[in-house]
Amino acid sequence: MYKRVRLKDTVEVPPEHLADVTPLRVKRLLQDKLEGRMDEEVGSVVSVVDVHDIGEGTVLPGRAGVYYEAEFDAVTFDPDMQEVIDGQVVEVVEFGAFVGIGPVDGLLHVSQISDEYLAYDGENQQLASTESNRTLGVGDSVRVRVVTKSIDERNPRDSKIGLTAKQPGLGKHGWLEANRQANEATTEAEGQ
């Protein structure tokens, strides 16, 4: 879920910019420092938006820059447990599909995609059902639910988000539309 949050952090202003300690300069430094970073409390920092307050600078012995505490607004992405999210398949591997959800990717394990057996087709970068003609490949839009979340602040790339698409109303958008049309046809046939 995307959120706008008020945060505080310390930023180093290098000596060449000490004459220009403005909200715009501090915003740029905060963007360089924080955007793309994962944090256990707020999730992934997508964008630093507004700087509201810049504290007094602090000089540290042996450091050339001056350190300022700043209060600012940021847009973050932090998927909640059990949240339903639309995403796009960005990679398919033998054990499942990686789904882009906001600025991060989650793993949709092959066991969490369908009750049908899905075989990996590396040549076409897809998982294919042996029972039906359903496939899941790179670029496909999916609706998934967040079922596990482990954020690694030191190594954001090691953070893990587990997804499922096995519940009703979840899965590849094309499959959901086909199911909806089949249900409508059944309802119409029963009404005659």
Side-chain angles (χ1 to χ4, degrees):
M1 171 176 293
Y2 287 96
K3 300 174 186 169
R4 185 177 178 133
V5 295
R6 177 82 40 109
L7 301 172
K8 283 186 179 182
D9 202 346
T10 303
V11 65
E12 178 184 7
V13 177
E16 62 270 18
H17 297 296
L18 288 176
D20 182 33
V21 182
T22 62
L24 183 60
R25 170 68 58 202
V26 171
K27 177 181 174 181
R28 287 184 184 141
L29 293 167
L30 286 167
Q31 287 171 329
D32 290 344
K33 178 181 178 184
L34 299 176
E35 288 181 0
R37 188 179 111 199
M38 296 288 278
D39 180 273
E40 186 71 40
E41 296 294 316
V42 298
S44 177
V45 177
V46 177
S47 179
V48 174
V49 183
D50 294 314
V51 174
H52 297 286
D53 186 42
I54 302 170
E56 295 295 318
T58 303
V59 177
L60 298 177
R63 303 301 278 268
V66 178
Y67 293 82
Y68 292 87
E69 185 172 285
E71 185 174 297
F72 58 96
D73 286 345
V75 174
T76 63
F77 179 80
D78 187 21
D80 293 325
M81 291 295 292
Q82 304 306 319
E83 180 178 357
V84 174
I85 301 174
D86 286 323
Q88 188 171 38
V89 176
V90 295
E91 182 181 4
V92 176
V93 292
E94 282 188 52
F95 54 86
F98 288 95
V99 178
I101 51 171
V104 297
D105 295 343
L107 173 63
L108 183 56
H109 191 269
V110 68
S111 67
Q112 294 298 310
I113 297 172
S114 171
D115 288 329
E116 299 177 18
Y117 175 76
L118 298 173
Y120 175 64
D121 177 359
E123 185 177 317
N124 294 312
Q125 274 284 290
Q126 65 182 9
L127 295 166
S129 170
T130 57
E131 300 171 32
S132 66
N133 290 332
R134 293 185 169 189
T135 62
L136 183 67
V138 173
D140 288 343
S141 295
V142 293
R143 180 164 294 144
V144 294
R145 180 182 306 276
V146 176
V147 291
T148 60
K149 184 171 82 166
S150 174
I151 304 299
D152 187 335
E153 293 178 22
R154 292 179 190 220
N155 298 309
R157 293 192 134 318
D158 291 340
S159 296
K160 295 174 177 54
I161 297 175
L163 308 170
T164 186
K166 283 182 83 167
Q167 298 161 340
L170 302 179
K172 180 177 170 179
H173 285 186
W175 300 347
L176 297 174
E177 179 61 22
N179 289 347
R180 186 186 65 76
Q181 289 175 357
N183 288 341
E184 285 178 0
T186 302
T187 303
E188 287 178 16
E190 289 174 355
Q192 293 178 353

